[in-house]
Amino acid sequence: MSESTARTELKGIGVSAGTASGPIALVTPAVGIDQHEPASVDPESDGVRVREALEGVAASLRSRAEHANSETSKAVLEATATLATDKGLIKGIDKELKKGSGVTKAIHDAVETYAAKLRKLGGYMAERVTDLYDIRDRATARVRNLPEPGIPDLTEPSILIAEDLAPAETATLDPESVSGIITEAGGATSHTAILAAQLGIPAAVQVKGIAEAVVNQPQVALDGGTGKVIVAPDASDVSELEARSRRRAELLADSAGEGATRDGHKVKLLANIGTAEDARKAAKFDLEGSGLFRTEFLFLDRDAAPSVEEQTETYIKVLQAFGQRRVVVRTLDAGADKPLSFADLGPEENPALGRRGLRLSMERVDLIDQQLEALAAAHQAVEGADLWVMAPMVSTIEETEWFAERARSYGLPQIGVMVETPAAAILSEQILTVADFASIGTNDLSQYTMAADRMQGELAGLLSPWQPAVLRMIQATAQGGEHNGKPIGVCGEAGGDPLVALVLAGLGVSSLSMAPAKVSAVRATLRLHDLETCRDMADLAIKAPTASQAREAALELADPIIRDLVS
């Protein structure tokens, strides 16, 4: 096949900016069900085989956790290892074996049943379906005595091609050997997307047809900002990508200091973190603190809540890492969609819309009181700490009053709320008469505004932050903040998109929190534009009839040089 006919362009969703070109490394696919296996005639013996396989998978995941590239990745791997030996999963497999299914079919059918339950729960539990499928594929390979799916040994920097990457793979990626990532599945908030951005590895997801397109092709080129993928690129393709990469490096070379527009309007640039180790690493970046510390990693996959002492120790480490820089802590965001064994409120018809976040805290006052006590103790212990505390999933002023009164009783200095529901956005003017600040979680706000599951990659277009309806919700929140003289931040993935950041600044958002690796590009973009231009961009985007037209309208007003960062 000639080079001209082999060359193919594909389009996906860019989730980690940057360019790369080079050899392809295909992630070993799952082996699947053994189509020739006999039906189970000894369910007890076959059950032992499956348990041994699952225990082996769990041990392997725990071993990988010891070499994970962050505490967050370690926590994810350890949670997946626990899932591998879940009693409910094993019971489901035993049930399939007793029905006469072959061993691998029993594993697959039981996992599919379990996965359906997790999808119904939504949120964090829906995200764990990828973990569950990874367990299925590894256990199946073990009982078939075949290689487990995964990344091959890389002898040179390569671009990974996969259906999707499971946590066991993403947690140990080495940016020195993985120059890019392309997957057919996944979404903007998937494990793959978030970790790639943290590591600075260019990545695109939802690149349909990539596996078929790279058959017998040695190289691929990738633009992780736009999601553009070129299979069998020619010399001019590679040259252009390399030129873009150089221009991007030059643009970012002088990106340092506070976030601000060209005319000096301040926009704080902060980091999203999940653990004390994340805080330690993020604090080394040139940024202004943390705009979102997700505390649920302290609570998940445990038989009992962490003690006040354990929580205090963690919060002290986080505050110490950032010194006098701002740290915004989100209180426990768990409940029906992130079930805790020690805080089970019972089954619900629609858990994604159930007693999660602050609603759980209002049912289990002991949990929120212990967390607030620990945060107050940590604040007292770290001299000069700038601690802000906010509640998740707030929808009413009554909820705001309940949380603010409770948090202030512990002497905490800055009390805020997350704006993740249209209700909170619309009522922001009233809510911010009580709260000291608000932070917009664009991932959930997009999900609830557009009635689209944010974990379903096929709905990525509906979940775009450029959707005019979502922009109007952000605008309403910012207006509520302006009316009350209260700061409004954004801590969803949208804040890390340089072009979206300009629009957010124009809407009145005063701080943006993102993966630390994204800060330089956002800072450089802000400094190329004055506030009036940002406001004009926001006005055009708000009035646009579609998401794509909103983005194009903003891009038309942007300095052409930023196309190397955003398009």
Side-chain angles (χ1 to χ4, degrees):
M1 185 179 288
S2 68
E3 183 175 297
S4 60
T5 57
R7 184 184 182 280
T8 306
E9 287 193 19
L10 299 173
K11 190 73 168 66
I13 302 170
V15 294
S16 181
T19 60
S21 61
I24 294 165
L26 291 172
V27 174
T28 304
V31 296
I33 296 172
D34 182 355
Q35 299 297 334
H36 304 290
E37 69 182 356
S40 177
V41 294
D42 187 352
E44 185 174 340
S45 177
D46 288 336
V48 170
R49 283 181 62 202
V50 173
R51 282 173 174 75
E52 289 175 348
L54 290 170
E55 288 167 1
V57 170
S60 174
L61 291 170
R62 284 192 289 267
S63 176
R64 285 172 177 255
E66 294 301 316
H67 302 92
N69 47 37
S70 74
E71 286 297 315
T72 300
S73 298
K74 181 179 180 181
V76 169
L77 284 172
E78 289 175 341
T80 306
T82 301
L83 186 60
T85 55
D86 182 87
K87 293 179 180 178
L89 174 60
I90 293 171
K91 184 177 179 180
I93 295 172
D94 286 341
K95 182 178 179 181
E96 295 296 328
L97 290 171
K98 289 175 182 177
K99 287 163 55 177
S101 294
V103 173
T104 62
K105 189 173 188 306
I107 294 172
H108 277 240
D109 288 352
V111 164
E112 198 55 52
T113 299
Y114 205 152
K117 293 178 181 178
L118 295 184
R119 287 194 188 95
K120 185 177 179 181
L121 288 174
Y124 173 78
M125 297 311 294
E127 293 177 27
R128 301 203 68 184
V129 169
T130 300
D131 309 4
L132 190 60
Y133 284 160
D134 185 43
I135 292 166
R136 173 199 66 190
D137 295 340
R138 293 178 185 281
T140 300
R142 283 176 178 261
V143 298
R144 294 187 64 179
N145 294 315
L146 293 171
E148 291 186 24
I151 299 170
D153 292 332
L154 303 177
T155 58
E156 59 182 330
S158 304
I159 296 177
L160 297 183
I161 309 290
E163 170 65 22
D164 202 354
L165 286 178
E169 306 304 336
T170 56
T172 52
L173 289 181
D174 179 5
E176 295 297 318
S177 58
V178 177
S179 53
I181 301 170
I182 305 171
T183 68
E184 292 214 27
T189 60
S190 65
H191 288 305
T192 300
I194 293 171
L195 185 63
Q198 287 176 342
L199 296 176
I201 299 174
V205 301
Q206 287 289 312
V207 184
K208 299 301 184 182
I210 182 63
E212 182 180 353
V214 298
V215 173
N216 298 322
Q217 299 298 335
Q219 293 216 335
V220 69
L222 161 70
D223 185 330
T226 65
K228 180 179 179 180
V229 173
I230 306 173
V231 178
D234 56 31
S236 64
D237 292 323
V238 175
S239 177
E240 172 57 22
L241 280 176
E242 290 175 346
R244 287 195 66 180
S245 185
R246 286 194 298 272
R247 292 195 299 267
R248 176 183 169 84
E250 290 170 1
L251 185 57
L252 298 183
D254 297 326
S255 176
E258 292 181 328
T261 58
R262 186 171 60 199
D263 51 342
H265 176 74
K266 298 291 179 65
V267 181
K268 275 189 176 294
L269 302 180
L270 310 163
N272 292 337
I273 60 173
T275 66
E277 177 63 14
D278 286 351
R280 186 185 65 79
K281 290 183 177 181
K284 294 179 180 179
F285 283 77
D286 184 5
L287 44 75
E288 298 169 77
S290 172
L292 174 62
F293 173 33
R294 307 178 182 93
T295 58
E296 52 265 25
F297 277 116
L298 273 167
F299 293 81
L300 296 174
D301 297 295
R302 299 175 61 126
D303 294 327
S307 66
V308 171
E309 291 73 23
E310 182 182 349
Q311 291 189 60
T312 301
E313 182 181 354
T314 297
Y315 303 147
I316 285 174
K317 289 178 181 177
V318 172
L319 293 175
Q320 287 176 334
F322 287 104
Q324 295 184 355
R325 289 179 283 178
R326 181 185 300 177
V327 175
V328 184
V329 176
R330 181 177 71 191
T331 58
L332 179 61
D333 187 12
D337 70 327
K338 300 177 189 175
L340 303 174
S341 61
F342 51 86
D344 184 3
L345 299 181
E348 296 181 323
E349 285 296 322
N350 194 338
L353 301 177
R355 291 170 292 181
R356 57 170 292 197
L358 184 63
R359 297 170 188 174
L360 171 66
S361 295
M362 295 176 78
E363 295 278 350
R364 286 294 306 272
V365 176
D366 57 318
L367 294 179
I368 190 65
D369 280 351
Q370 289 170 5
Q371 187 168 30
L372 294 173
E373 180 183 346
L375 285 165
H379 182 241
Q380 289 294 320
V382 182
E383 185 176 356
D386 186 12
L387 175 64
W388 298 36
V389 180
M390 61 185 181
M393 288 301 293
V394 171
S395 295
T396 69
I397 193 166
E398 291 92 344
E399 291 171 343
T400 307
E401 289 170 339
W402 185 92
F403 177 72
E405 180 181 355
R406 206 159 205 94
R408 288 178 180 134
S409 72
Y410 285 92
L412 292 166
Q414 295 289 333
I415 309 304
V417 298
M418 290 284 290
V419 173
E420 299 163 283
T421 66
I426 293 168
L427 293 174
S428 62
E429 183 176 321
Q430 291 75 29
I431 285 174
L432 285 164
T433 62
V434 178
D436 299 318
F437 70 97
S439 185
I440 302 170
T442 53
N443 300 342
D444 268 329
L445 182 59
S446 296
Q447 172 174 244
Y448 291 126
T449 299
M450 303 304 295
D453 185 349
R454 68 187 182 95
M455 294 312 300
Q456 192 164 336
E458 292 78 6
L459 299 179
L462 286 175
L463 295 165
S464 166
W466 292 105
Q467 286 289 351
V470 176
L471 291 175
R472 288 175 186 269
M473 290 297 168
I474 295 171
Q475 181 187 48
T477 307
Q479 289 173 342
E482 182 180 8
H483 181 84
N484 289 284
K486 305 288 180 67
I488 304 297
V490 163
C491 60
E493 292 302 310
D497 181 313
L499 188 59
V500 176
L502 296 175
V503 171
L504 294 174
L507 289 173
V509 170
S510 61
S511 66
L512 302 168
S513 194
M514 63 202 76
K518 294 184 177 183
V519 168
S520 289
V522 172
R523 179 167 46 220
T525 304
L526 283 169
R527 290 191 175 181
L528 286 169
H529 302 83
D530 57 34
L531 180 59
E532 191 59 36
T533 300
C534 293
R535 287 173 174 163
D536 289 342
M537 287 181 176
D539 185 57
L540 289 174
I542 284 281
K543 292 176 180 176
T546 69
S548 60
Q549 288 173 293
R551 187 181 188 279
E552 284 303 313
L555 193 57
E556 280 291 320
L557 291 182
D559 189 315
I561 196 173
I562 75 163
R563 289 181 181 272
D564 288 322
L565 296 178
V566 303
S567 65

